[in-house]
Amino acid sequence: MMDSHRQPKKGNVKQEPKHSPSQSSASPHPQKDAYARLLSQHHSSKFSLYLEQYARGALFQREDNGPALLPRVQSDRLNTSQQQKDLVFNDLSDSSDFSPSSLKCREEENSLSLYMEKLHTVSAQQDCERRRGVYDGQQRGQRRDTATSHDGDIESGEELGSFKPKDTKKCQKQQKKNKDSNRGAASKESDTFAGRPQSPKTRPKEQDQEKMSKSKKKQPPNPINEENREGVDSELFLKTGQGKDKLQEQSKASTSSSPFNKTKNKGGRGSKRQVFESYMTSEEVSHGLKRGELIQGQLRINPKNYQEAFIPSPDDTRDIFLDGVVARNRALNGDVVVVQLLPQEQWKVVRSDTNCEGATEPETQTTQKKTEPNHSHDVTVENQCSDQDELISRYQNMTITNAGRPLEDISTTLSNGEVVQKTAKVVYIVEKKHSRAATGFLKLLPDKPFALFSPVDHRMPRINVPLADCPSDFTSHSDVYTNTLFICRIINWPAESFFAEGQLSKTLGQAGEIEPETEGILMEHEVDFSEFSHDVLDCLPKNLPWTIPPKEMKKRRDLRKECIFTIDPATARDLDDALSCKQLPDGNFEVGVHIADVTYFVEEGSALDVIASERATSVYLVQKVIPMLPRLLCEELCSLNPLTDRLTFSVIWKITPQGKILDEWFGRSVIRSCVKLTYDHAQNMIEAPEKMFSAKELPPIDPEHPIDEIHQAVLNLHSIAKNLRAQRFSGGALRLDQIKLAFSLDKETMMPQGCYIYQYKDSNKLVEEFMLLANIATAHHMYRKFPELALLRRHPPPKTKMMHELQELCDQLGINVDLSSAGALQKSLNAVFGDDEYAVAKTAVLTHMCSRPMQMAIYFCTGIVSDEHLFKHYALNVPLYTHFTSPIRRYADIVVHRLLASSLKCGPHIQMSTDEVEKQASHCNDKKTLSKRVQELSSELFFGVFVKECGPLSSEAMVMGVLDQSFDVLVLQYGVQKRVYCKTIPGLNAFKHRKVGKNSELTLVWTSEDPEDPPVEQVISIFTLVDVQLKADGAPLKYSAVLKRPENSTS
């Protein structure tokens, strides 16, 4: 085949070839033509040099039986410095003895076979080097599949045209030009490797540099390079610079991988190359999973570096790593996939244990220290070589599986502190949980029947959209749509293309405006915010205002005369829980938790039930709520509004003042809330136990219940709740409070007027304690009655490996933290910082660190999980737990209500099977995760608007984590987390990074304000207090944190 593969640009070291008359004299013309044809496809001088070196090396090994490269590469592990010295010489050590003319004795097809053999040899060599950790740090954080770049301004399906063979003189002239032009450039690039000797014969070539500079200027700004700045110069990052564009053009011309190449190459070579592997069949997957040859898990793509993806390891050790888009094989974030482990020789070697989990360290540090600003040339060149390795091994199966000694076991740390992580590739997608929808921008491609859609989420591929699907005036006025947000949905992703195919779902509006951005967030995360259909609304009561039928009243316990009230946020309209507390003659209390009886209105199997089960949860945005149920139910008929008769499900206990439960009752009931209290109202009552509150200080109250009665009930509940809470935490419970940002909005425009950190007060704790008690009681009751059908909620323990690493880090920081159990961790958090002035901030940072190893709590059906020990809720430290208290906004609670009613013989038997309960539980898990993410994005959106409108904002911040060229801070006044990039700090002269064990530290060197004074040094480590300024960026609603010059720093 004459189809050449995409070639990496290799020009690190240029060694002068030795010419001999004999080699240049015998030269059949077919060989010249073959070599010329290869060169004509690639106009890069660096590629020409690389091709020559490939050819020479292959001939050297085939004819002269020279020493093989592979054994040298796979010898005992070298230290990093030595590896850097040997890197290029291992690649090119045989290139100085032969010139291109030495190939002229070969026939055309032989020359191509030599060329491909050399590709194989160098590919194998680089694979082995990379497996041993030499390239690993350089590759991570960069795109290996450059055609899928979301940052460069490239056009899919672009053709370079079919190549034409040049005559002999042109070929020779081109070769000479290549040698001359690469001599200087190769020298400059090679010098950046640490410890590499410089060649006295080489020097930079200014013309090449000028060309590169001009090419870079043509590129658009990189929208995400700020997220990927660690370890490389952003201008020379593979995703943004000229090297990427050339590499893509080479790929398109040589591999014909784009599905839009309609012009076929000469000789009938117009067939598309397969970019992604074909999926296994379901039978193959089933057998592979049973034999333990394949692994199933949920794919997690690093949001700050979409090259990195992970799935959980079945043995609960380090996550399994998927390197690059090709390894993901068209799977998207959240998809359930089946992966096949790569051979041990292809496992990943990394420097630090803490950087192997996608969720724990979003930006991986590299295996080489980055100290020189221009060393990123090496990263670019070597990464392109690795890209070539991947393409060659994929297309021609050129992998080395038995060369060199195997790497150490995954669970071990190497002697030099490096660790090995398993790598894999996706072979099957079990469930496409990702919506396949994305918000983004359209770009017109000249002379193409499609436009290019660039998603805002860089984990998504670029998408080709037919022009017929675009706005009617898009082709003539594409500039009008530059800042317009669209929603696009992937409808197909061919195996032959790095680009997906899709269709536009909607034009949202201008980027940066709250409503279009919010709608994009909702659609991208598959939140159904459409109006409820007529079929659904037909399920609601028709006769309004609705009253409880007398027949139903007789079936229930009448609690309307009791002092029952709600405590909720001031803006809440879906009131699904109420409390009561009545002191008994014996000194004990009758405490009740009363939950809206939603299942009375939502009949199982109805259209209303179907839509509620699909939505699964209400979604809370900053400015509004997307309800799970029609508003007539969630805000009226089910909501426990004051002074109105409402149907409820109640749990009533007889309880001692110390919190010991003496008796328990479950049943359906009717209540009449006497007042709607806010958390602030209840807090005021708690803080002023002797105060006589007037009617003006509180909302409207049922005259049958005086204010004093309500006040005393709140105080009694608070007293019992404190005892219950103390018992829980002394029994080993854990609460990791996350900082929550709240906003004050303009009532008309709904724009943020201010923001503050939400305060979690005693009134919040009061309500939480009794909700927990009700959920735990319901879980035990339900499991006793339905051991195979109960829907419970479990919280797996944190990942052991990560907890050990956290313990080591805390020990090095001098923090006395016991991570042996949930209770031990809680006690440590309560006591570790004492009365320190910044104890709250330090505790927040430590809480964040402790949250990273934690796993998500999930719903499950007890009939599916056989081991009862797995039912446990780690954080609450209880054996059984469920959700019962919020059926208006959670569908899982509706299922629990039905099970509870069936067990009490006060409702129909539930129709769901064990498998159906488990399926619904899984769906609720997915929707809850999406809802949480949407809520976070909504908060980020509004804070971005706030910074833009009211910024810059100055605040103290505390360092949460340190990388080699950046650090993360918690902005104390606003509770937001932000990354500070050293390269963007104004006034910073230099910085250096060092790492001792698990503890990273940056030393920032500031230019002195007085030229006569020495530079000022500032040490950045975890818990360092700094001053930052939040400033709006050029991109819509984006902002950055800028470090301020320290006032008191050691020099």
Side-chain angles (χ1 to χ4, degrees), residues 596-630:
D597 189 359
V598 176
T599 55
Y600 174 84
F601 298 96
V602 183
E603 182 181 349
E604 186 174 5
S606 67
L608 177 58
D609 183 46
V610 170
I611 191 64
S613 67
E614 289 174 356
R615 293 194 177 197
T617 181
S618 294
V619 179
Y620 291 82
L621 307 173
V622 171
Q623 78 277 34
K624 59 184 176 182
V625 179
I626 310 300
M628 181 182 75
L629 297 170

Side-chain angles (χ1 to χ4, degrees), residues 141-153:
Q142 306 174 46
R143 279 188 186 274
R144 298 183 65 175
D145 326 49
T146 55
T148 63
S149 170
H150 304 159
D151 310 319
D153 196 14

Side-chain angles (χ1 to χ4, degrees), residues 320-321 340-343 346-348 421-425:
I320 298 170
F321 180 64
Q340 183 179 52
L341 289 180
L342 299 177
Q346 297 182 36
W347 290 359
K348 183 167 64 78
Q421 186 173 25
K422 294 176 182 177
T423 57
K425 62 181 180 180

Side-chain angles (χ1 to χ4, degrees), residues 441-452:
F441 302 92
L442 273 181
K443 180 189 174 184
L444 181 66
L445 302 180
D447 303 322
K448 298 296 176 185
F450 51 83
L452 185 64

Side-chain angles (χ1 to χ4, degrees), residues 122-300:
V122 176
S123 172
Q125 174 195 354
Q126 292 169 347
D127 277 345
C128 295
E129 285 282 12
R130 185 166 65 255
R131 294 162 197 156
R132 299 177 65 83
V134 177
Y135 294 152
D136 185 74
Q138 297 170 336
Q139 293 167 331
R140 303 189 67 195
Q142 306 174 46
R143 279 188 186 274
R144 298 183 65 175
D145 326 49
T146 55
T148 63
S149 170
H150 304 159
D151 310 319
D153 196 14
I154 58 168
E155 301 177 358
S156 63
E158 205 59 39
E159 268 188 77
L160 295 180
S162 57
F163 62 86
K164 298 179 181 180
K166 300 180 182 179
D167 58 41
T168 305
K169 291 182 180 180
K170 287 184 179 179
C171 178
Q172 292 172 341
K173 194 175 293 184
Q174 178 66 35
Q175 293 170 20
K176 185 176 186 302
K177 181 180 178 182
N178 291 342
K179 297 175 199 172
D180 294 338
S181 63
N182 278 282
R183 185 177 297 123
S187 172
K188 179 171 181 177
E189 292 173 355
S190 65
D191 291 346
T192 59
F193 280 103
R196 179 179 301 153
Q198 295 187 18
S199 170
K201 298 181 180 179
T202 59
R203 65 181 183 274
K205 192 170 182 67
E206 295 179 358
Q207 290 89 338
D208 285 354
Q209 294 175 0
E210 291 174 359
K211 288 179 182 178
M212 291 176 65
S213 177
K214 290 178 181 177
S215 177
K216 288 174 201 169
K217 289 178 182 178
K218 295 178 183 179
Q219 303 302 320
N222 179 1
I224 64 164
N225 66 355
E226 285 300 305
E227 301 290 3
N228 288 299
R229 293 184 67 125
E230 293 304 306
V232 293
D233 185 333
S234 61
E235 287 187 352
L236 292 169
F237 202 90
L238 184 59
K239 289 159 57 176
T240 59
Q242 128 184 334
K244 175 204 63 179
D245 287 355
K246 284 192 176 182
L247 197 60
Q248 288 177 315
E249 291 171 358
Q250 292 167 7
S251 171
K252 292 161 191 168
S254 59
T255 66
S256 303
S257 62
S258 172
F260 303 96
N261 273 350
K262 298 179 180 179
T263 306
K264 295 188 177 182
N265 291 334
K266 281 190 175 183
R269 294 182 301 275
S271 60
K272 300 172 185 175
R273 286 297 182 94
Q274 187 162 323
V275 175
F276 299 101
E277 288 188 10
S278 299
Y279 295 127
M280 289 184 175
T281 65
S282 56
E283 292 78 10
E284 291 173 328
V285 169
S286 178
H287 294 156
L289 290 171
K290 289 178 182 178
R291 291 193 297 264
E293 297 169 355
L294 303 176
I295 299 170
Q296 180 172 318
Q298 190 165 25
L299 186 70
R300 189 178 72 253

Side-chain angles (χ1 to χ4, degrees), residues 52-105:
E52 292 170 24
Q53 292 160 348
Y54 273 153
R56 295 187 212 114
L59 188 61
F60 179 81
Q61 292 196 27
R62 294 191 69 170
E63 293 187 342
D64 296 350
N65 298 317
L69 298 174
L70 215 51
R72 176 180 177 186
V73 178
Q74 296 175 337
S75 60
D76 290 340
R77 179 177 294 276
L78 304 173
N79 60 46
T80 303
S81 177
Q82 186 61 39
Q83 288 173 334
Q84 292 168 343
K85 291 177 184 179
D86 292 347
L87 187 59
V88 172
F89 298 124
N90 283 345
D91 279 349
L92 310 175
S93 58
D94 58 351
S95 64
S96 60
D97 297 328
F98 295 90
S99 68
S101 58
S102 65
L103 298 174
K104 296 176 183 178
C105 61

Side-chain angles (χ1 to χ4, degrees), residues 987-992 1003-1008 1014-1018:
L988 193 65
N989 186 44
F991 61 93
K992 52 188 176 182
T1003 301
L1004 309 183
V1005 183
W1006 294 84
T1007 304
S1008 179
V1016 177
E1017 289 191 355
Q1018 180 183 19

